[in-house]
Every structure is written in C-alpha cells, then in structure tokens.
Amino acid sequence: PTTARTPPARVPHRLPLTGDRFFGREEESERLEMLLTAGGLNAARLVTVVGPGGAGKTRLAVETARRLTARDDEKDKAG
C-alpha cells in the first residue's frame, strides 16, 4: 500500500522505438513540453496536436514524451 511516506512506484514507459533522428521540430517540441509541464498543477493534462496527414504529429508527440520521461527519470535518480 502507498502511504504518505512512500511514493508510488513509477511505471516504465511504453513509447514506441524510432529508428530515425528527430530534427527540425525543436520549437514545437519545446512548446509542447511547456504546455504539459508549466505551472505544475496548472499544466495541461491533454494537448491536441493537429495538422495534415504526414506532417509528423505522432513523431513530435512521441519524441516530446520521450524527453519528458527521460527528464523525470533523471529527477528520480537525483533524489
């Protein structure tokens, strides 16, 4: 059981593997990260990424999730 002293266990991510590099979308990725993390409790719980088919919406979302997961993992390791 989880108590006030014991944080819940982290669930490992299930992000798809990608075989290509992510480039050219840094500004969009940073904006998406800001929307999902800014203000702690005021952060958006859901963000809709829109655009035409083949524009890279899924790749942008997956890469942003990967970065946020890595950042959280580093925070956990640091204590």
Side-chain angles (χ1 to χ4, degrees):
T2 302
T3 66
R5 294 180 181 201
T6 308
R10 294 225 27 201
V11 176
H13 70 78
R14 294 177 166 227
L15 298 171
L17 298 175
T18 57
D20 57 346
R21 293 184 327 132
F22 182 78
F23 60 94
R25 302 290 296 271
E26 295 300 320
E27 187 175 321
E28 291 93 341
S29 183
E30 288 172 9
R31 173 78 173 140
L32 193 51
E33 283 185 44
M34 191 274 308
L35 290 170
L36 292 168
T37 61
L41 295 175
N42 294 326
R45 294 181 65 194
L46 173 70
V47 176
T48 303
V49 180
V50 296
K57 299 175 297 291
T58 300
R59 184 68 175 94
L60 173 64
V62 167
E63 182 61 27
T64 302
R66 186 178 318 285
R67 290 178 184 190
L68 290 172
T69 301
R71 188 171 73 188
D72 286 348
D73 289 346
E74 288 300 316
K75 284 182 186 178
D76 288 347
K77 288 178 186 175

